[in-house]
Amino acid sequence: MTLICRKHRSKCSRSRPECEQCSAVGVACVYLEVPGDLESTALRDRFAGLENQIHSLINEFGHLEQIVQSTVAAAPPPPTTTTTVATASSESTAVITHALDGPSHIRTNSLQKWKIHQSSPGGLSIDTHMFHVTDIYSTLIQFAKDNTNALTLYPKPDQQKKPIWLIRNHSLFPNVRLSHFTSLRPNAHDGEDSSDDDSQKTIKTEFNDEDDACSPTSFSLSEEEMIPEPLSPVLVSRLLTLYKTCLLYGAVQPFDTLFKDLLVDPQSLSPAFQLLYASIICHMLPHAFYWHQDIFEDSMDKSACVHLSIQYYKWAKRLLSSIYFDAPSLTTCHAICNLVLYHIENGNTSVIYIYSGMAVRMALSLQLYREDALESIAQQQVAVFPEPYRPTVPVVKEYARSLLWFMYFLDTASSHYHNKPYEIHLDDHVSTTTYFKKNPATIALGEIDESQAFFQFIEFHTCQITRDIRRTIFTHPEERQTAYDEIERIEKRLLSFQKQLPKMQHENSSSSVWARRCFFKQWIRHHGHWILIHQTYLPTPMSVQRCTTAAFALVDLFDHWIVNMDCYFRPCVHELKQACEILLYHVDQNTPIKAKALEGLTRLIQVLLKTPVGEIARTRPFVQRVLKVIQQEQNI
């Protein structure tokens, strides 16, 4: 969406380079495509960054003062004056002592474009004639480089040396986004599958992605023919049992109590519950076929599984188009989240953000963000359930809390595929999102064990750190540098959070699946955060060290996890790719640890190829590149 369309709340055509609305009124068309918050928050972050740049620039002139004072101490005193730095919109003044005519070992070629003249007995006046802080800073950096052998930028060697900025290297990693090279159906076209339909039974639908809703235009089938081929009750029961354990981010907690028995017979259900059923089946069929194939007992091959998944997805989409504008409900919101998972797993990333936006808008209509509104929401939603399966109000309240928390993580993931703004914003003080941590009421219901509760707690804070990193580093990718103070703040947050992660001795082969996920997935995400912070600043020595340490830690973690690996490997594939990219950097640059990096690459690829999605990954360009590098190096 463009800035003008959002400001006037008008429907944006999203055409490039100009949308139709901006073109019609003749105004500049500016798209909002940064992964930060709303425009006001982005502007505040921008101003804060500019203020940090100004302060850093003043500090650099202070360093120059100390440099020259220490360097010319033994030389005859040269003329000294005051320094004034002028920029385009304001003046920044710093008093330094400088000597351009001092000792010959001070090289001043980089400062030749600055006009330096004596303005008073106290110092020199410097007119930079530069309009951007980055240009002034670049000149100072070049001055420092020219005098590396003669000067010391940090005059206190007893203190740890810290950079002021970290400079981006867009040539190495121009885009840092979530990876999906193990998606199960990479050739699907945004989920709008047509090749698997009988040509005589084509259903024409129009997906209105501007209104984030499905709008049917015509159907050539009767209502009975629109329902896909029913699955056996045994298979349905197995898929529903797996759903809660396989659902990403720790699952919707009270699912079994609410739906496990209710959804076994979808024919007798209302459209809202049929939508939830169809959304679960379309997502779980291909997922279970790869990761839990034993539940099928050889009753279904891959093509039949994919065909059925597509049919259930289309049924879900038709149901959604018919009830989306009815009274909002928790089950409809839940179903839309399942469709987001369907597209994530199948690699159809261009419609992920559309569906997640639909879920967010329905959550807003329900007032799901307000803890004080959950009681009334639960009372209304209880009445929707059929009489024999009607739950209690407290259970539905837990369901609402879990659903909002689930949407928060889906919003985090879906926003990263295309660097879109976040739409759900929660913090530690919102009881809706922290209620799951060792909640006695939920544990008493038998819906969650302590390992799962701990996993959810860690996952929430991990996601907060991910958002912090992306707001700080990737909101303005056009900027060439990032203030190290901001990087250091996140690093301290990571080190503090690391103390809450489970210890290695807590994990063993007899541990529960949630205990293993607590250890492996969360430590993998933790090391991935270090690479996410520093990847774009290679080959800065500090960034190389941080990324390399994290990459080898990831090699060991994946190597140990493969013994008891489960389907939660799928959301960790991005960290595996991050580690591969760092190790490839060492191989390509022929660094001193090239041999060790090559060994780590080999171990990571072996882990990937041993997973159920290994053969899928083998066909993807990135994996093929890694395999080619390994083969070439082994032949040398």
Side-chain angles (χ1 to χ4, degrees):
M1 178 174 286
T2 64
L3 181 63
I4 296 299
C5 293
R6 170 170 287 185
K7 181 178 180 181
H8 294 281
R9 298 181 179 272
S10 61
K11 186 171 73 172
C12 182
S13 68
R14 300 184 184 179
S15 55
R16 304 276 185 162
E18 291 184 344
C19 71
E20 295 176 1
Q21 290 71 23
C22 292
S23 178
V25 298
V27 298
C29 186
V30 180
Y31 275 87
L32 297 171
E33 293 184 337
V34 295
D37 295 328
L38 298 177
E39 180 188 0
S40 58
T41 305
L43 287 174
R44 285 195 297 270
D45 293 343
R46 174 67 171 164
F47 289 143
L50 290 175
E51 185 178 14
N52 289 338
Q53 289 182 5
I54 293 172
H55 287 304
S56 177
L57 181 62
I58 294 174
N59 291 337
E60 289 300 326
F61 277 105
H63 288 316
L64 284 177
E65 177 185 6
Q66 296 170 352
I67 288 168
V68 178
Q69 284 179 341
S70 61
T71 304
V72 302
T80 59
T81 53
T82 302
T83 299
T84 302
V85 181
T87 60
S89 58
S90 63
E91 281 200 350
S92 173
T93 303
V95 178
I96 66 171
T97 303
H98 209 316
L100 290 183
D101 300 324
S104 59
H105 60 268
I106 299 179
R107 301 174 183 175
T108 61
N109 293 338
S110 57
L111 306 180
Q112 293 303 316
K113 293 183 179 180
W114 292 4
K115 292 185 177 180
I116 304 174
H117 51 87
Q118 186 171 353
S119 60
S120 68
L124 298 175
S125 176
I126 303 178
D127 298 326
T128 66
H129 298 291
M130 292 180 177
F131 290 88
H132 300 287
V133 174
T134 53
D135 294 334
I136 300 174
Y137 185 71
S138 297
T139 302
L140 295 174
I141 289 295
Q142 188 59 49
F143 176 78
K145 289 181 178 179
D146 292 343
N147 294 276
T148 299
N149 295 329
L151 307 178
T152 302
L153 286 177
Y154 299 91
K156 298 179 180 180
D158 56 313
Q159 297 181 356
Q160 182 182 3
K161 296 182 180 179
K162 296 180 181 179
I164 301 298
W165 304 91
L166 289 184
I167 308 299
R168 297 184 189 277
N169 188 343
H170 290 296
S171 62
L172 282 177
F173 302 106
N175 294 305
V176 180
R177 297 178 179 177
L178 285 183
S179 304
H180 53 279
F181 63 81
T182 58
S183 54
L184 303 183
R185 295 178 55 239
N187 297 320
H189 301 287
D190 300 338
E192 307 303 311
D193 304 281
S194 59
S195 59
D196 297 88
D197 274 321
D198 189 287
S199 60
Q200 303 299 322
K201 296 184 178 182
T202 301
I203 299 174
K204 299 178 181 179
T205 59
E206 179 180 317
F207 189 84
N208 188 343
D209 61 352
E210 307 303 334
D211 294 330
D212 293 338
C214 295
S215 174
T217 57
S218 63
F219 294 102
S220 59
L221 300 181
S222 65
E223 288 293 323
E224 292 76 13
E225 291 174 308
M226 288 163 55
I227 300 177
E229 175 186 345
L231 302 176
S232 69
V234 174
L235 181 57
V236 171
S237 178
R238 290 172 179 172
L239 290 173
L240 293 178
T241 301
L242 279 174
Y243 173 76
K244 182 181 175 181
T245 304
C246 296
L247 191 62
L248 296 184
Y249 316 114
V252 174
Q253 295 171 2
F255 178 81
D256 288 348
T257 300
L258 291 170
F259 302 114
K260 191 173 180 181
D261 296 328
L262 172 64
L263 297 180
V264 171
D265 182 19
Q267 303 295 337
S268 59
L269 299 176
S270 66
F273 288 105
Q274 286 184 334
L275 169 62
L276 180 61
Y277 171 81
S279 68
I280 292 173
I281 298 301
C282 76
H283 163 58
M284 285 302 298
L285 274 173
H287 174 88
F289 185 83
Y290 279 94
W291 290 98
H292 309 280
Q293 202 169 35
D294 55 305
I295 72 168
F296 294 96
E297 296 180 344
D298 298 325
S299 62
M300 189 180 300
D301 59 18
K302 178 181 175 181
S303 60
C305 180
V306 170
H307 176 77
L308 270 175
S309 175
I310 294 172
Q311 297 308 308
Y312 274 93
Y313 167 70
K314 291 187 173 183
W315 185 32
K317 194 168 68 170
R318 291 193 291 269
L319 288 167
L320 179 60
S321 69
S322 65
I323 68 174
Y324 182 74
F325 293 105
D326 294 347
S329 70
L330 295 175
T331 53
T332 302
C333 199
H334 185 180
I336 298 172
C337 292
N338 287 331
L339 296 181
V340 175
L341 286 177
Y342 170 83
H343 287 295
I344 289 178
E345 190 111 25
N346 288 282
N348 309 318
T349 60
S350 61
V351 294
I352 288 172
Y353 198 64
I354 296 173
Y355 278 113
S356 64
M358 294 170 67
V360 168
R361 285 158 181 77
M362 184 161 290
L364 286 170
S365 300
L366 287 165
Q367 295 186 316
L368 202 56
Y369 299 93
R370 293 178 52 191
E371 178 72 18
D372 58 352
L374 289 186
E375 185 75 24
S376 61
I377 294 173
Q379 291 175 355
Q380 295 172 5
Q381 297 300 310
V382 164
V384 176
F385 283 77
E387 184 65 37
Y389 305 99
R390 190 158 291 174
T392 62
V393 171
V395 172
V396 178
K397 284 180 68 175
E398 290 301 314
Y399 176 48
R401 289 189 179 100
S402 297
L403 191 57
L404 177 61
W405 170 81
F406 180 40
M407 291 170 57
Y408 176 74
F409 288 93
L410 281 182
D411 177 57
T412 302
S414 60
S415 298
H416 296 172
Y417 279 106
H418 296 287
N419 285 344
K420 297 286 188 178
Y422 298 123
E423 296 191 89
I424 299 179
H425 309 283
L426 306 174
D427 57 52
D428 293 330
H429 306 292
V430 180
S431 59
T432 306
T433 61
T434 56
Y435 198 81
F436 55 77
K437 186 184 178 183
K438 296 184 179 180
N439 175 14
T442 307
I443 296 176
L445 290 172
E447 290 292 336
I448 185 173
D449 61 28
E450 290 200 21
S451 294
Q452 186 179 358
F454 182 64
F455 177 91
Q456 293 172 329
F457 171 76
I458 295 294
E459 186 77 13
F460 173 69
H461 290 282
T462 298
C463 190
Q464 284 188 311
I465 295 174
T466 301
R467 290 183 172 218
D468 191 5
I469 293 172
R470 288 195 168 263
R471 288 191 185 105
T472 302
I473 299 175
F474 300 104
T475 299
H476 301 289
E478 72 281 356
E479 294 182 354
R480 294 187 62 249
Q481 67 274 322
T482 304
Y484 181 69
D485 286 345
E486 287 296 303
I487 302 290
E488 187 179 37
R489 176 185 61 80
I490 300 176
E491 288 182 337
K492 289 179 178 178
R493 184 176 182 180
L494 278 173
L495 291 173
S496 176
F497 179 63
Q498 180 176 313
K499 300 175 184 177
Q500 302 187 55
L501 295 177
K503 306 302 180 185
M504 182 65 177
Q505 59 265 27
H506 292 170
E507 191 282 325
N508 56 65
S509 58
S510 62
S511 301
S512 70
V513 64
W514 288 110
R516 291 197 299 271
R517 289 171 178 176
C518 275
F519 177 78
F520 284 112
K521 184 174 186 291
Q522 300 304 341
W523 274 103
I524 285 171
R525 291 283 298 278
H526 177 71
H527 291 300
H529 278 149
W530 288 94
I531 298 179
L532 185 63
I533 292 172
H534 286 279
Q535 192 173 12
T536 58
Y537 304 114
L538 296 179
T540 304
M542 173 187 293
S543 297
V544 171
Q545 186 271 330
R546 303 277 203 277
C547 289
T548 304
T549 302
F552 284 116
L554 288 171
V555 171
D556 290 335
L557 282 167
F558 280 111
D559 234 4
H560 284 85
W561 195 15
I562 191 62
V563 178
N564 290 291
M565 186 173 287
D566 62 79
C567 58
Y568 265 48
F569 168 80
R570 175 66 182 81
C572 294
V573 72
H574 177 65
E575 284 75 20
L576 185 141
K577 183 182 178 184
Q578 283 180 311
C580 286
E581 288 174 333
I582 299 304
L583 298 178
L584 275 175
Y585 167 81
H586 286 287
V587 174
D588 293 340
Q589 300 297 318
N590 199 25
T591 66
I593 63 169
K594 175 181 177 180
K596 186 178 179 182
L598 191 62
E599 178 194 357
L601 268 179
T602 304
R603 290 167 62 188
L604 285 175
I605 292 300
Q606 287 175 347
V607 167
L608 178 60
L609 297 182
K610 288 178 182 177
T611 65
V613 292
E615 290 306 310
I616 294 177
R618 191 188 290 272
T619 65
R620 307 304 159 83
F622 176 78
V623 178
Q624 290 177 344
R625 179 194 166 206
V626 176
L627 289 171
K628 183 178 179 181
V629 169
I630 293 174
Q631 183 65 35
Q632 289 175 342
E633 294 296 329
Q634 289 175 346
N635 293 335
I636 295 178

